[in-house]
């Protein structure tokens, strides 16, 4: 090949490589949610815990290593919740929410995008406790003994359980509202732990 | 000369691509051959441009600070562009380099460490790029962050899903951008350490391409950045789902798959891909019987000159003290490092080293047999590399060229060339591969130095140089090889020698242990 032609063709090949690189460096991807109207459920909350509690005898307590002694021994589980999203009269999402962690005893963390057509919709979101077990038998109804092997610890344990109960999700949450969502917009559904209520956050 | 099977050739499509690139750029500057060293150049370019960008990047206002850089033609819209296109080109060059190594079967045995560390390098390159794009915190950066988080969230590591951090209910903290920035600096520096491991088994690793090619790569990246400025999509916004996001496919190629097939499938894809790549050295390893034999030293013949240890491209030879009372050192081969290229065989004047069947002595014996069969005197004899020119054997045979296949032209002992010339060969051609593409790294280089520049085990001055030629040929282009042969015969006026020298006496040539050679 003549030198000049070789130079030109070589230059063209390099230029084509450059253009291809630049193109692949900015070629569009189209996310599946792209351009839809998105309701994003994003919140965390503690699932309610149902405990069966019993006070250990002094002898039982002695058998436990000192640093692990709890006067009141509770065995329990956290309850699952049903999450339903209904748009208009169509159920678009149904799921069972459980606490995180292997034993489901951690908070529920929810992050779920639901894509709708842009426009105005009536959106109804319910979170309902699935476990209908009778009110938990808790140790807090048991009389607290003033002094025992672990001193004031029993009181602290009871307080801890009470706090967990206060922070737990209520048995039923409902958010029912008309919403206008533009194409490509996201409206968050968040949980306010103080009011114990769900709310729409359109951001911005 | 032992004939070897043509199992190790490049697929035709790749060989054709090589030939085209050789024609356009010349074999010395062929970017396909230089893909590994081009990655090094790009890495240096990324370090320099990255340091500059670091001066302007703000963890507290990531997108704004990048937008500030992008808008300013003086402080660095083009520097940012070169950084981005450089990182894109690094992925391409790494892939080409890895593909070449794979197709050339430079994957197993002593090369296992280079291969496996190469896979790690590829991973680090991709993760470094991920952190880089996330740093910008534009639409694409957020998409990568969420995609990456969705993958990580499948691992039972965190009780709160990481993806939550990008959901929009709370701002993404500075801590995230700080850690990301730290990784974006640390990973590329760590790349240097892995790279050291990558070439640790090579003697004299070639780290950079020829200067002109290296600078051309740098200039090409800058030119591209000036002509097509790197895009900057709008700032990440968790309250928006754009219908199209300008994405860098070199680093974000897996993102659509997260949407389509779910993060679990993408994990499975990455895991299988990685395991598959890591297993390549074991999957591509030939059967024991088909592996080239490692080199061996005949300690009786070794004079301790150290030349083989100097020439071995894989640091497989060390010099050790002898146990037989002689004062000098003796060469010792580490079979775990020896790829069996036979280059040492040609570096040994007393012919005391080399893989079985391919030592200098073995070569002389094969040449002797050829001379006795009457196929040398008055004819052209060619040595052709198994991986390349030996493929021309059939085409050249039509013109009565005798083709001797060798595993590497660096294996051809100069005494074998001398014997052929002295036995009346019209022309001895050594047809090698382009030096930068030698599968054994340094074969053509040492051959050239032994023939033309007096490197130890040199072609003796008494040999008629007109009758010896070294050439690179395209193994698919027999016409070019024949034309080259004709041109040499014509230009050098190579009539068949009237009378051959005596049939060289092998015993006389090799037998005396040449401690006092006439050098
Ligand atoms: C950052 C990425 C990489 C860089 C900068 C790089 C660079 C290099 C360089 C400069 C050499 C030495 C060339 C020589 O002197 O002969 C080399 C050798 C090698 N590379 Fe890479 N490489 C990279 C990634 C990879 C990958 C991804 C693979 C394969 C998975 C790979 C496989 C190999 C092998 C097997 C060798 C040894 C060749 C031999 O022993 O003949 N490299 N690389
Ligand atoms: S080149 Fe030959 S003589 Fe020299 S050290 Fe190696 S084996 Fe020994
Ligand atoms: S055959 Fe090649 S790798 Fe093995 S010792 Fe000789 S030069 Fe080194």
């Amino acid at each position: 090949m003549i030198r000049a032609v070789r130079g030109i063709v070589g230059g063209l090949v390099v230029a084509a490589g450059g253009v291809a690189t630049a193109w692949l460096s900015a070629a569009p991807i189209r996310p599946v949610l792209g351009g839809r109207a998105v309701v994003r459920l994003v919140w965390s909350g503690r699932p309610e815990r149902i405990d069966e509690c019993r006070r250990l005898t002094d002898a039982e307590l002695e058998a436990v290593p000192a640093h692990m002694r709890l006067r009141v021994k509770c065995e329990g589980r956290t309850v699952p919740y049903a999450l339903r999203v209904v748009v208009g009269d169509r159920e678009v999402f149904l799921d069972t929410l459980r606490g995180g962690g292997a034993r489901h005893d951690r908070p529920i963390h929810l992050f779920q995008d639901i894509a709708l057509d842009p426009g105005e919709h009536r959106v109804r979101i319910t979170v309902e406790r699935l476990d209908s077990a009778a009110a938990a038998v808790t140790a807090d109804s048991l009389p607290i003994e003033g002094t025992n092997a672990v001193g004031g610890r029993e009181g602290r344990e009871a307080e801890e359980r009470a706090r967990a109960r206060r922070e737990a999700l209520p048995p039923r949450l409902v958010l029912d509202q008309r919403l206008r969502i533009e194409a490509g917009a996201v409206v968050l559904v968040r949980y306010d732990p103080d009011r114990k209520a769900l709310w729409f956050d359109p951001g911005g | 000369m032992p004939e070897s099977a043509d199992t190790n050739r490049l697929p035709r499509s790749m060989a054709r691509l090589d030939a085209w690139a050789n024609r356009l750029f010349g074999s010395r500057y062929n970017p396909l051959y230089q893909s590994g060293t081009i990655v090094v150049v790009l890495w240096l370019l990324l370090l320099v441009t990255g340091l500059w960008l670091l001066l302007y990047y703000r963890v507290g206002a990531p997108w704004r600070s990048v937008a500030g850089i992008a808008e300013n033609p003086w402080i660095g819209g083009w520097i940012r562009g070169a950084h981005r296109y450089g990182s894109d080109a690094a992925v391409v060059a790494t892939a080409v380099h890895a593909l070449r190594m794979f197709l050339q079967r430079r994957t197993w045995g002593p090369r296992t460490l280079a291969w496996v560390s190469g896979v790690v390098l590829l991973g680090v390159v991709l993760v470094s790029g991920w952190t880089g794009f996330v740093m910008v915190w534009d639409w694409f950066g957020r998409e990568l962050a969420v995609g990456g988080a969705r993958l990580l969230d499948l691992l039972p590591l965190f009780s709160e899903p990481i993806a939550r951090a990008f959901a929009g209910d709370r701002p993404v903290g500075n801590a995230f951008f700080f850690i990301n920035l730290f990784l974006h600096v640390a990973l590329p520096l760590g790349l240097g350490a892995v790279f050291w491991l990558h070439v640790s088994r090579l003697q004299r690793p070639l780290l950079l391409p020829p200067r002109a090619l290296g600078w051309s790569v740098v200039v090409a990246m800058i030119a591209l950045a000036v002509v097509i400025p790197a895009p900057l999509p709008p700032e990440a916004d968790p309250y928006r789902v754009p219908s199209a996001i300008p994405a860098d496919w070199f680093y974000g190629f897996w993102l659509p798959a997260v949407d389509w097939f779910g993060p679990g499938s993408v994990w499975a894809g990455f895991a299988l891909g990685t395991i598959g790549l890591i297993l390549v050295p074991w999957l591509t390893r030939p059967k024991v019987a088909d592996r080239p034999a490692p080199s061996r030293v005949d300690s009786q013949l070794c004079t301790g000159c150290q030349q083989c240890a100097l020439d071995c491209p894989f640091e497989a030879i060390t010099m050790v003290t002898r146990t037989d009372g002689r004062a000098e050192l003796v060469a010792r081969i580490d079979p775990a490092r020896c790829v069996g290229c036979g280059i040492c065989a040609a570096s040994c004047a007393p012919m005391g080293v080399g893989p079985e069947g391919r030592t200098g002595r073995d070569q002389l014996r094969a040449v002797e047999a050829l001379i006795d069969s009457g196929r040398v005197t008055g004819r052209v004899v060619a040595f052709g590399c198994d991986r390349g020119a030996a493929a021309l054997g059939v085409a050249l045979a039509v013109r009565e060229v005798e083709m001797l296949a060798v595993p590497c032209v660096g294996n051809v002992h100069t005494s074998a060339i001398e014997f052929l010339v002295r036995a009346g060969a019209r022309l001895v051609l050594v047809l090698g591969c382009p030096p930068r593409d030698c599968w054994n790294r340094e074969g053509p280089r040492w051959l050239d130095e032994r023939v033309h520049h007096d490197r130890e085990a040199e072609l003796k001055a008494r040999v008629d140089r007109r009758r010896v030629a070294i050439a690179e040929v395209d193994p698919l282009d027999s016409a070019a090889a024949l034309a080259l042969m004709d041109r040499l015969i014509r230009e050098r006026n190579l009539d068949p020698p009237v009378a051959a020298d005596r049939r060289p006496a092998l015993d006389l040539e090799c037998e005396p242990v040449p401690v006092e050679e006439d050098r």
Side-chain angles (χ1 to χ4, degrees), chain B residues 35-40 43 90 94-95 97-99 101-102 104 106-108 110-123 125 191 195 198-199 201-208 277 314 339 438-441:
Chain B
S35 39
T37 53
I38 286 178
V39 184
V40 179
W43 181 70
T94 306
H97 167 66
L99 181 69
M101 294 299 133
F102 179 77
Q104 296 183 337
R106 290 159 78 174
T107 50
W108 56 277
R111 285 154 165 144
T112 303
L113 179 67
W115 179 270
V116 174
S117 59
V119 178
V120 176
L121 285 175
L122 179 62
V125 166
L191 207 68
F195 181 62
H198 189 57
V199 295
R201 291 214 150 183
L202 305 180
Q203 180 143 243
R204 295 170 291 274
L206 270 175
L207 303 183
L208 291 171
L277 279 176
F314 299 92
V339 304
C438 171
W439 298 23
N440 299 309
R441 303 190 54 244

Side-chain angles (χ1 to χ4, degrees), chain B residues 242-258:
Chain B
S243 50
I245 296 178
D248 185 286
W249 285 77
F250 300 98
Y251 292 90
F253 58 90
W254 50 276
L255 267 180
V258 180

Side-chain angles (χ1 to χ4, degrees), chain A residues 6 9 18 21 24-32 34-35 40 42-44 106 109-111 183-184 186 188 190 201 203, chain B residues 23-24 84-85 88 142 159-161 163-164 167-169 224 228 231 238-245 247-250 259:
Chain A
R6 225 166 51 178
V9 177
T21 304
L24 273 175
S25 188
I29 53 171
R30 298 180 195 287
V32 280
R40 175 174 299 155
V42 51
W43 47 262
S44 301
R106 304 278 179 81
H109 295 290
L110 184 63
F111 179 13
V186 179
L188 305 195
R190 303 174 59 177
D201 171 7
Chain B
R23 239 166 275 167
L24 288 180
R84 175 174 184 136
Y85 294 137
D88 293 339
R142 180 176 181 277
S159 72
E160 176 167 0
R164 272 283 316 259
D169 55 334
L224 186 59
I228 311 179
Y239 290 94
R240 293 219 56 81
V241 279
S243 50
I245 296 178
D248 185 286
W249 285 77
F250 300 98
D259 266 356

